[in-house]
Amino acid sequence: MRIILIGPPGAGKGTQCQRLVEYLKVPHLSTGEMLRAAIRAGTPEGITAKEYMEHGQLVPDSLVLAMVTKRLETPDCRSGCLLDGFPRTLPQAEMLDDLLERRAMTVDGVIELAVPRDELIRRMLARKRADDNPEVFSKRIVSFETQTAPLLDYYARQGKLASIDGLGAADEIFGRVREAVEQFERRSAAPGGR
Ligand code: AMP
């Protein structure tokens, strides 16, 4: 299974991704984590990315794509993966489709973790982590709404989107995530499915 999890900052994507990779037994591909590792290692990509990330902006598509392409080519990703934080823009989604198609692969399903904006702000204020600078956090929400939300339509048109309610206890939400995955599995097993 090749699955994408999409959600605004503070939606609880990290927790659900962790559970989902254990459940699916596939590698977890988090571009945010790859970028943070590049920053720690002081690579040229990390130095470029840091500027954008500190301002709550998305890093350039080309930089992220190069990283993801390399990672998708490693053998452990052949049978599937969970994409977390990628794609985040329409060009990234189109390039991902292209990349997979050339390797006779496809995205099996996309899960949207839906959480209203006022709840995201309430959680952020309650958490008050050092990296949750309210200004940067608001910019990340705006960047989600303007650059990432259009992807939901893109995948809905492909019939791949499952939107789930991101409110409630982590276990309860994971139950909904699992139902979405089962729906993807049934679809790929159906005649004409992939
Ligand atoms: P995350 O850990 O997914 O919330 O990502 C942290 C930050 O890394 C984001 O706010 C962006 O600045 C950057 N980032 C992560 N993934 C991407 C991506 N696919 N495209 C552009 N920027 C990204």
Side-chain angles (χ1 to χ4, degrees), residues 5-13 85 88 111-115 120 144 148 152:
L5 195 71
I6 298 183
K13 224 157 31 89
R88 245 182 170 99
I111 301 174
E112 176 203 6
L113 203 53
V115 178
L120 297 174
F144 177 82
T148 307
L152 302 173

Side-chain angles (χ1 to χ4, degrees), residues 172-185:
E172 207 181 322
I173 300 169
F174 188 65
R176 298 175 197 141
V177 168
R178 232 180 20 222
E179 275 171 32
V181 171
E182 282 161 11
Q183 179 194 320
F184 301 152
E185 281 167 347

Side-chain angles (χ1 to χ4, degrees), residues 8-157:
K13 224 157 31 89
T15 309
Q16 297 303 323
C17 279
Q18 235 176 327
R19 293 188 179 206
L20 192 50
V21 290
E22 276 170 32
Y23 176 71
L24 292 171
K25 302 195 172 38
V26 294
H28 180 191
L29 270 58
S30 154
T31 43
E33 197 37 62
M34 289 180 204
L35 290 165
R36 284 186 287 276
I39 293 175
R40 283 195 299 273
T43 64
E45 290 81 5
I47 293 167
T48 305
K50 192 166 184 236
E51 276 294 305
Y52 292 91
M53 289 166 76
E54 279 178 350
H55 293 94
Q57 293 170 348
L58 296 185
V59 309
D61 288 341
S62 54
L63 196 159
V64 179
L65 266 155
M67 275 184 352
V68 171
T69 307
K70 209 163 132 200
R71 183 68 182 88
L72 278 174
E73 271 162 2
T74 57
D76 63 330
C77 289
R78 276 231 61 93
S79 59
C81 65
L82 175 65
L83 287 164
D84 165 14
F86 178 88
R88 245 182 170 99
T89 64
L90 265 181
Q92 287 182 14
E94 286 162 358
M95 288 187 253
L96 174 65
D97 275 348
D98 230 46
L99 191 93
L100 292 176
E101 201 181 317
R102 275 185 273 123
R103 289 162 178 78
M105 295 175 177
T106 186
V107 170
D108 295 294
V110 178
I111 301 174
E112 176 203 6
L113 203 53
V115 178
R117 182 193 249 253
D118 53 351
E119 170 65 14
L120 297 174
I121 305 219
R122 196 192 61 72
R123 288 183 190 178
M124 189 269 300
L125 292 174
R127 228 168 28 172
K128 276 209 195 313
R129 265 182 4 203
D131 59 342
D132 281 342
N133 171 326
E135 206 181 309
V136 171
F137 189 80
S138 311
K139 284 197 187 147
R140 291 176 61 208
I141 294 187
V142 171
S143 117
F144 177 82
E145 288 170 349
T146 56
Q147 293 170 278
T148 307
L151 293 188
L152 302 173
D153 233 22
Y154 177 82
Y155 288 115
R157 271 186 270 120

